[in-house]
Amino acid sequence: MSGNKQEEDPRINGIKTKIRVVPDFPKKGIMFQDITTVLLDPKAFKDTIDLFVERYRDKNISVVAGIEARGFLFGPPIALAIGAKFVPLRKPKKLPGETIFEEYELEYGNDRLEMHVGAVEAGDRALVVDDLIATGGTLCAAINLLERVGAEVVECACVIELPELKGRQRLKGKPLCMLVEYR
Ligand SMILES: O=P(O)(O)OC[C@H]1O[C@H](OP(=O)(O)OP(=O)(O)O)[C@H](O)[C@@H]1O
Ligand SMILES: Nc1ncnc2[nH]cnc12
């Protein structure tokens, strides 16, 4: 996967064929990349998880941070398989404990990510997981949250990248690993 996609791996194309593209959702002009259709196919879903587990199992990752909502689908199975803790980065007012937050802009609006204080500690080695990178604002907010508490962000992992939106440039120099590009 080379901090990029593992084009040579035959599993990638199988995953790609299961992503449904929905035009004009949630608003006109957005080509929505729907990963729920990947989840309907146990082989494609397992291949997605396996590709990330193969990449991260020997990287000494201590925490997988998953971004609400779709990062919650991919992050926990990766965390379990590599023996890392899972920390949810949530939308506003969902976490009951003390939180820190970062605000960001989306392709279609504004939002905020929150993280429980104490869930991630200084020195943790973090992998950030989401389904998709568009403008990179969400992943940038996640990186900021983790770095504020002293974690080292080792890499970001997404199933899909929309390269035209240049989200990689907002990742503060952190590597991005993705499986499928949508152009
Ligand atoms: O790279 P960006 O431009 O920041 O966009 C990517 C984010 O947008 C989507 O989530 P969304 O905010 O739509 O929330 P949801 O998963 O709760 O539907 C997607 O799952 C990423 O988290
Ligand atoms: N085009 C897109 N499809 C799915 N999720 C998204 N999040 C931001 N842009 C998106």
Side-chain angles (χ1 to χ4, degrees), residues 11-182:
R11 293 173 289 184
I12 300 276
N13 200 45
I15 295 163
K16 191 172 186 171
T17 63
K18 297 297 172 184
I19 298 166
R20 172 168 59 183
V21 181
V22 183
D24 299 325
F25 182 88
K27 67 179 199 190
K28 203 160 174 53
I30 302 289
M31 296 294 280
F32 191 84
Q33 309 292 305
D34 180 17
I35 52 76
T36 65
T37 40
V38 175
L39 309 179
L40 294 176
D41 184 309
K43 173 163 171 28
F45 188 17
K46 182 171 189 306
D47 284 349
T48 304
I49 301 304
D50 287 350
L51 282 162
F52 289 126
V53 169
E54 288 161 20
R55 181 174 179 82
Y56 297 115
R57 64 157 61 104
D58 297 320
K59 296 249 169 42
N60 204 19
I61 304 286
S62 59
V63 55
V64 173
I67 297 174
E68 183 170 357
R70 291 169 257 158
F72 293 0
L73 302 168
F74 300 103
I78 296 168
L80 285 173
I82 67 174
K85 62 185 171 184
F86 178 78
V87 171
L89 305 184
R90 296 214 62 179
K91 300 291 167 69
K93 300 189 168 134
K94 302 285 188 185
L95 291 171
E98 184 189 349
T99 57
I100 57 171
F101 69 87
E102 289 277 332
E103 285 173 325
Y104 59 96
E105 286 180 12
L106 278 173
E107 203 183 354
Y108 39 76
N110 295 307
D111 221 330
R112 170 199 275 221
L113 275 185
E114 298 183 351
M115 180 173 77
H116 266 148
V117 171
V120 177
E121 297 176 304
D124 265 330
R125 283 173 54 81
L127 170 68
V128 187
V129 174
D130 205 352
D131 67 323
L132 176 142
I133 174 168
T135 67
T138 309
L139 281 174
C140 179
I143 293 167
N144 286 338
L145 281 174
L146 292 159
E147 289 189 334
R148 277 170 57 188
V149 297
E152 179 191 349
V153 176
V154 176
E155 193 155 286
C156 299
C158 292
V159 181
I160 305 161
E161 179 182 16
L162 308 184
E164 279 159 21
L165 294 174
K166 299 187 171 30
R168 273 177 192 266
Q169 294 176 5
R170 296 182 64 186
L171 302 185
K172 306 177 73 184
K174 301 298 173 192
L176 169 73
C177 172
M178 56 79 188
L179 306 181
V180 173
E181 277 181 339
Y182 182 82

